[in-house]
Amino acid sequence: QVQLVESGGGLVQPGGSLRLSCAASGTILSNKIMRWYRQGPGKKRDLVAIISSDGDITNYVDSVKGRFTISRDNAKDTVYLQMNSLKPEDTAVYYCNAYVPYTGYNAWGQGTQVTVSS
């Protein structure tokens, strides 16, 4: 059974940093595009960052560019989201997602809460 498990969320003050991890079991991540999404209170789930299967290509939503970095370690089947200079508007549940284009494969983690508040 495929499982994606996020960790690393928590409460942090504005300007602080957190590093989220997404670890896979029951599957390998090396052939999958990985994405981080977030869903703030009363909002829809939005894409935050994406990384290609080999890690060479990354892209970010404008609101996090220069502050967040997505990376992956395929040997550990783990994807990361380094979040710096956090703002209150970054408060959300963060989800990792694994997908393979044109196959219908699309797996989600359970989410981890990030709260940015003083």
Side-chain angles (χ1 to χ4, degrees), residues 73-92:
D73 185 340
N74 284 341
K76 296 182 178 180
D77 289 320
T78 302
V79 177
Y80 306 97
L81 186 68
Q82 177 68 44
M83 306 186 295
N84 299 328
S85 302
L86 283 161
K87 304 175 181 180
E89 50 264 44
D90 295 318
T91 294

Side-chain angles (χ1 to χ4, degrees), residues 2-18:
V2 175
Q3 268 197 314
L4 298 176
V5 179
E6 300 97 334
S7 61
L11 173 64
V12 63
Q13 292 186 342
S17 298
L18 284 174

Side-chain angles (χ1 to χ4, degrees), residues 27-35 50-51 53 72 97-107:
T27 187
I28 59 171
L29 295 186
S30 59
N31 62 339
K32 298 175 178 64
I33 295 170
M34 298 299 296
R35 302 179 286 194
I50 184 170
I51 187 167
S53 57
R72 65 192 299 159
N97 169 266
Y99 91 108
V100 181
Y102 314 114
T103 67
Y105 183 94
N106 193 26

Side-chain angles (χ1 to χ4, degrees), residues 18-101:
L18 284 174
R19 188 194 196 203
L20 306 184
S21 299
C22 172
S25 61
T27 187
I28 59 171
L29 295 186
S30 59
N31 62 339
K32 298 175 178 64
I33 295 170
M34 298 299 296
R35 302 179 286 194
W36 283 98
Y37 284 76
R38 66 185 179 187
Q39 186 166 15
K43 298 181 179 180
K44 65 180 180 68
R45 192 175 297 187
D46 289 326
L47 179 64
V48 175
I50 184 170
I51 187 167
S52 60
S53 57
D54 59 6
D56 284 351
I57 300 172
T58 59
N59 207 354
Y60 303 89
V61 66
D62 285 346
S63 59
V64 308
K65 282 182 180 177
R67 300 189 298 122
F68 289 13
T69 302
I70 188 171
S71 62
R72 65 192 299 159
D73 185 340
N74 284 341
K76 296 182 178 180
D77 289 320
T78 302
V79 177
Y80 306 97
L81 186 68
Q82 177 68 44
M83 306 186 295
N84 299 328
S85 302
L86 283 161
K87 304 175 181 180
E89 50 264 44
D90 295 318
T91 294
V93 178
Y94 284 71
Y95 298 89
C96 71
N97 169 266
Y99 91 108
V100 181

